[in-house]
Amino acid sequence: MVKAVFLDFYGTLVHEDGEVIKQVTQIIFDTGVVQNYSDIGAYWWKELQELFTNAHGNSFVTQRELEIRSLQKTIEHFNSTADAAELSEMMFRHWTAPPDFPEAKQFFEKCPVPIYIVSNIDTADINEAIAFHGFKPDGVFTSEDARSYKPRSELFEYALRKTGFSPDEVVHIGDSLSSDVKGAGEAGIKAIWINRGAKTVPDGVIAINSLLDAFAILI
């Protein structure tokens, strides 16, 4: 029986940072030595993912710091004159006041079980975003709390310990196959993939198109 929902935040309740990433990438392109615009995003993403992978336990570093580091390496790689701190601040202005999806508040109003947000971001930043929208989760657990990032299992295990639920009593909903579905599965938690882009659903993955579709599974 499902007793609670673990819920991803960015890309699930609120929009991801696609638009601001385009703006940041354009600035690096305009101020650097780059032949292909797409090379910037690919390099930046690779650097950030490597930093996330290595940041856990005693080696944990906050997302704000990882963002600046990845941007600085990207700027240097493409010989750009952009300022990493300024570009990072653009990112966090989005993350602390992101637009929400139309059904987000309705999901909170209608969900029959407690909702706990489980997110790969710093605690103060997500709390600011939650307050911006007036969401009322029953708890919030972040990578900063667990000193680990999805898809590693520590964040999910931390949320289980704090809520007192066993893995078979919760469902995790998120928009990332690699972070949410894989990470929850590593912790023994059933995952639901919110597939907003109508992508091909891999075998064995439970997918929904809207948060409200999850009620058919939860009830």
Side-chain angles (χ1 to χ4, degrees):
M1 177 182 176
V2 176
K3 295 184 178 180
V5 170
F6 287 178
L7 192 64
D8 176 55
F9 195 72
Y10 298 97
T12 302
L13 277 173
V14 301
H15 285 264
E16 278 283 9
D17 47 14
E19 288 305 312
V20 71
I21 284 176
K22 290 179 183 177
Q23 295 170 25
V24 169
T25 302
Q26 188 66 53
I27 290 171
I28 296 174
F29 182 82
D30 291 341
T31 58
V33 181
V34 191
Q35 290 186 338
N36 297 312
Y37 176 90
S38 60
D39 290 346
I40 299 172
Y43 183 89
W44 181 14
W45 180 247
K46 178 179 70 68
E47 289 297 322
L48 186 58
Q49 286 303 106
E50 185 175 332
L51 289 169
F52 274 138
T53 299
N54 295 325
H56 56 89
N58 293 333
S59 300
F60 179 79
V61 181
T62 64
Q63 183 160 324
R64 276 188 179 261
E65 179 61 30
L66 294 184
E67 190 66 73
I68 290 176
R69 289 184 189 181
S70 65
L71 280 166
Q72 187 60 49
K73 291 196 70 173
T74 304
I75 287 168
E76 292 172 357
H77 181 78
F78 293 104
N79 297 307
S80 167
T81 58
D83 184 281
E86 290 181 3
L87 297 186
S88 178
E89 192 55 38
M90 288 175 61
M91 301 291 297
F92 280 91
R93 280 199 297 271
H94 165 83
W95 283 330
T96 54
D100 62 348
F101 287 106
E103 78 276 18
K105 289 184 174 66
Q106 192 176 1
F107 183 79
F108 274 94
E109 293 168 358
K110 294 189 173 184
C111 188
V113 296
I115 299 171
Y116 298 89
I117 291 174
V118 179
S119 178
N120 266 0
I121 197 168
D122 303 341
T123 303
D125 293 313
I126 196 167
N127 282 338
E128 186 172 342
I130 290 169
F132 176 78
H133 285 292
F135 295 142
K136 301 295 183 182
D138 291 86
V140 180
F141 307 112
T142 70
S143 49
E144 191 174 8
D145 294 327
R147 300 185 66 79
S148 180
Y149 293 93
K150 307 174 197 173
R152 293 180 62 92
S153 63
E154 287 95 337
L155 177 50
F156 295 100
E157 291 164 352
Y158 178 88
L160 289 172
R161 287 196 304 273
K162 288 297 183 178
T163 59
F165 293 114
S166 61
D168 61 348
E169 291 177 324
V170 303
V171 167
H172 178 68
I173 304 174
D175 70 305
S176 171
L177 286 171
S178 58
S179 293
D180 294 302
V181 175
K182 180 181 177 182
E186 290 290 329
I189 297 171
K190 181 178 180 180
I192 299 174
W193 180 40
I194 184 160
N195 181 16
R196 295 189 182 278
K199 300 174 184 176
T200 301
V201 180
D203 291 342
V205 172
I206 301 170
I208 56 177
N209 297 318
S210 162
L211 280 172
L212 302 184
D213 295 338
F215 294 145
I217 300 170
L218 298 176
I219 299 174

